[in-house]
Amino acid sequence: MHRLLCLHVFLCCLSMALSFCPSQCTCVFHGRVDGTGTRSVLCNDPDMSDIPVNVPVDTVKLRVEKTAVRRIPTEAFYYLVELRYLWITYNSVTSVDTGSFYNLKVLHELRLDGNMISVFPWDSLKEMPRLKTLDLHNNRLTSVAPEAIPYLVNITYLDLSSNKLTTLPSDLMDIWPPFNGVPISSNASQKVVLGLQDNPWFCDCKISKLIEISKMADTPVILMDLFLTCATPDNLAGVLFQRAELENCVKPSVMTSATKITSTLGSNVLLRCDASGSPTPALYWTKSDGSPVNNTVQESPGEGINWSIMSLHGIEHKDAGNYSCKAKNVAGTAIATISLTVAGAMSTTAPPVRPSVGTGPTSQGTAITPPIDISKSPLTAPTALPGSLTTPSAAQKPPKPISGNSSQKGSLKEAKNQQGGKKLAADEKSKKTDSSRGLKDLEIVEQTADSAVLLWTAGGLLNDAPLTVVYSPYGEDDSKRTMETKAGSGKVLLDGLSPGMRYSVCLVAKGSTTGKDPCIDFYTEDGGQNILFFIVSSIACVLVLPLIALLIYKILALYCKGSNTSLDTNELEKESYVKFETISMKQRTLNSHPTELWARRPTNESERLLLCSRSSIDSQMTYKSDGSRSEYLC
């Protein structure tokens, strides 16, 4: 009885489970010993025309294969919150809605291969943040939208093979090494598999990064088929990516006017960078935090060249930092950085007013503030009107007040004397400085081995102002020599110098401060070099002069020989005629000399002309007779 009860409960549970499974699908529960498990659903009925809607909610894997489904509607799987694997393969799907994959937050794998999809809703990928595998091969896709790039960053398996793709977004490869800036070695364990074969690729600069990856030996991006080929243009049709050489495709290079700039607070700064590449790269400025900079101007003076200027007005301390200039085209990117430092601090107080000496007695407790040299603090920005009294800052502590009228008077008198003495010293110092600054345009001319001429311009000095010329070998202050002259002369001869040495000469005006005198260094000529030059020149002259004489003789000889050309021509014409003779055989006799077989007799003019007018063959006449043999030759 107990066994029958258990069997009845099992059959009831089984019937309830089967009631949740679609009639055209097969549901399988993969249970574990602990009672947990996963459910997978397979729908492969050829007569199925719609995506099933009554799939169990705990389904982890759903497969719709080899059916007549032509469309994936909106929110077709929104209730399958545990779905991790979705395979809709080898169906007749032509349309996929943007919201088809809504609420699939844990989906890891999406396979839509073997369909007829021509447009894929790339924006729908944002509903699947954990997606790692996307299989779209064997469809009719013609392009990949640039909007899909942010959603493909986490994809580790992307198959776009056997479609109709001709190009890819130039930024697509930037999400993977080595174009994303991450070193290849740090991503050795993370691989990205790309299937891009069997597409009619148009090999131009837009896919130059893909071509570059195909040529790399060690890269985290793995191509399913290494033998990708170009379909167009005609000059690259059938050429492998590894051997393709693209025209008019050069990565950009960028160069800045400076790498480090220091500017004062409140000033204006201009930063410039220049870039080159093909196609012409675009330029972008960004701050160190990555935020863009808008106050920029750029211009392209020619093909492949571009420059940009960024302006900063009234800079503050918050403007300090690194500014990056990024040059980008479809072939790649390049970045240059400029570091800006802001110097100085903004002050809100004006310098204290210096009291006048002759203004009468001051009230008790008033202190005299020493003057401040404003020229040494250019970054101070006064905010009060001139002449107004302001409170000294904490950094500038005023001297302690002097009590008592007598002490005050004594101090005023002493201050007056000190100020008068300082004024005289300042006047004397200014005179000395002016005397030294009056001399200018020092110049050394006519250097020889033992002398040189010093020139100068008196400037503000009087012509009869005395000057002392001090000169010595460079670095040898113990051997100084002096000469006295006038400022108006403007010229002095320095003699008694050593050849080939460096000298230092200074002009000292009367009353000038030591170390403020104008000086100039110069070198004397090397006497040994002059002697060597003279010897070499003499030897060269001795060798060259005979050659010149011989050349002149040859020229004269040829000229004289040319005057006798007419005489030689006449003699040649006389000897150019050939004397024709007839040759006849002598009678052979025993008593005659055996070597004299032929005899010559002169011919007249008519016979000669007759013989020469015939050809070389016809002019030969040979005949035989009983006792002689004659032959005529021309």
Side-chain angles (χ1 to χ4, degrees), residues 434-452:
D434 294 341
S435 64
S436 63
R437 291 181 179 177
L439 300 172
K440 58 183 180 179
D441 298 337
L442 270 69
E443 183 181 4
I444 293 292
V445 298
E446 301 180 8
Q447 297 103 314
T448 62
D450 57 352
S451 64

Side-chain angles (χ1 to χ4, degrees), residues 140-159:
R140 299 178 181 179
L141 298 176
T142 57
S143 64
V144 177
E147 295 79 11
I149 297 176
Y151 309 119
L152 297 175
V153 175
N154 297 325
I155 299 294
T156 58
Y157 183 95
L158 178 62
D159 193 355

Side-chain angles (χ1 to χ4, degrees), residues 33-141:
V33 178
D34 57 357
T36 61
T38 58
R39 187 183 303 278
S40 63
V41 177
L42 173 62
C43 303
N44 56 359
D45 190 346
D47 297 330
M48 180 181 288
S49 59
D50 296 317
I51 297 294
V53 294
N54 54 348
V55 178
V57 295
D58 60 346
T59 301
V60 174
K61 185 175 183 179
L62 174 61
R63 297 170 57 184
V64 181
E65 300 177 353
K66 300 177 182 179
T67 66
V69 175
R70 301 182 59 86
R71 178 176 173 268
I72 302 178
T74 302
E75 299 182 358
F77 315 99
Y78 76 96
Y79 58 93
L80 301 177
V81 293
E82 298 182 10
L83 189 64
R84 297 188 180 186
Y85 303 93
L86 178 58
W87 293 10
I88 306 177
T89 59
Y90 295 97
N91 298 281
S92 300
V93 178
T94 59
S95 175
V96 180
D97 293 347
T98 304
S100 297
F101 309 109
Y102 175 73
N103 205 31
L104 299 181
K105 303 299 183 181
V106 296
L107 190 68
H108 282 67
E109 187 172 313
L110 175 61
R111 296 184 180 271
L112 298 173
D113 50 300
N115 289 283
M116 295 182 289
I117 303 172
S118 58
V119 178
F120 181 77
W122 299 100
D123 291 342
S124 63
L125 296 177
K126 64 184 178 182
E127 299 293 340
M128 300 170 281
R130 297 187 182 182
L131 190 65
K132 298 295 182 181
T133 300
L134 179 60
D135 190 350
L136 295 172
H137 91 274
N138 196 14
N139 277 279
R140 299 178 181 179
L141 298 176

